Amino acid sequence: MHEGSIAQGVLDVATRALASRPAARRVTRINLVIGALAGIDGDCLRFYLQELSRDTPLAGAAVEIAPRAATLTCRSCGATEAYDGSGDFALHCSRCGGDNELGGGGELYVESVEVDDEQDPGDRGDPQR
């Protein structure tokens, strides 16, 4: 299962994002883009992210996955349509019957990492604490 190594890479990116914000206390959300043809099981990836982030400032971060469809483009008329990766894709254009070309859908990247910059109420320099 390659989702384990991908999860580690995602956590490395999130850890660097956290380290770049000195006031940040923890990661709250990781936003990913995954193409329909990337061969990634989102549930499996979430499982590995949860397991590998235990006892770290990344534990409990929400993981949002934005799917990206592949595109079928007719070589004859240029018509395009989305292909979500499920089932067979149309070899021929539904408009003119020309040959379709499959493109895109292999994306896999961290779009953004959201962090919590809020200080704990006890950390605000209150001399009474």
Side-chain angles (χ1 to χ4, degrees):
M1 294 233 176
H2 61 284
E3 282 86 352
S5 60
I6 291 169
Q8 187 59 59
V10 168
L11 294 174
D12 290 347
V13 169
T15 299
R16 284 193 303 272
L18 186 64
S20 73
R21 304 273 302 268
R25 301 177 68 76
R26 65 186 184 93
V27 171
T28 57
R29 179 181 308 276
I30 301 171
N31 297 300
L32 304 172
V33 173
I34 300 179
L37 304 178
I40 305 297
D41 180 320
D43 291 336
C44 186
L45 180 59
R46 280 188 177 96
F47 169 79
Y48 277 107
L49 288 168
Q50 178 183 354
E51 291 301 310
L52 293 172
S53 67
R54 284 182 195 256
D55 302 322
T56 74
L58 286 73
V63 176
E64 296 296 325
I65 296 176
R68 290 290 189 269
T71 304
L72 295 170
T73 304
C74 178
R75 292 180 181 181
S76 298
C77 73
T80 62
E81 63 181 271
Y83 172 62
D84 68 2
S86 63
D88 295 333
F89 64 88
L91 294 174
H92 302 286
C93 176
S94 59
R95 200 160 138 199
C96 77
D99 292 336
N100 277 330
E101 180 176 333
L102 182 63
E107 300 87 353
L108 172 60
Y109 59 90
V110 177
E111 186 170 53
S112 62
V113 175
E114 298 175 24
V115 298
D116 181 0
D117 286 336
E118 297 272 329
Q119 286 187 335
D120 185 36
D123 290 343
R124 295 204 172 147
D126 183 355
Q128 300 298 319
R129 290 185 76 60

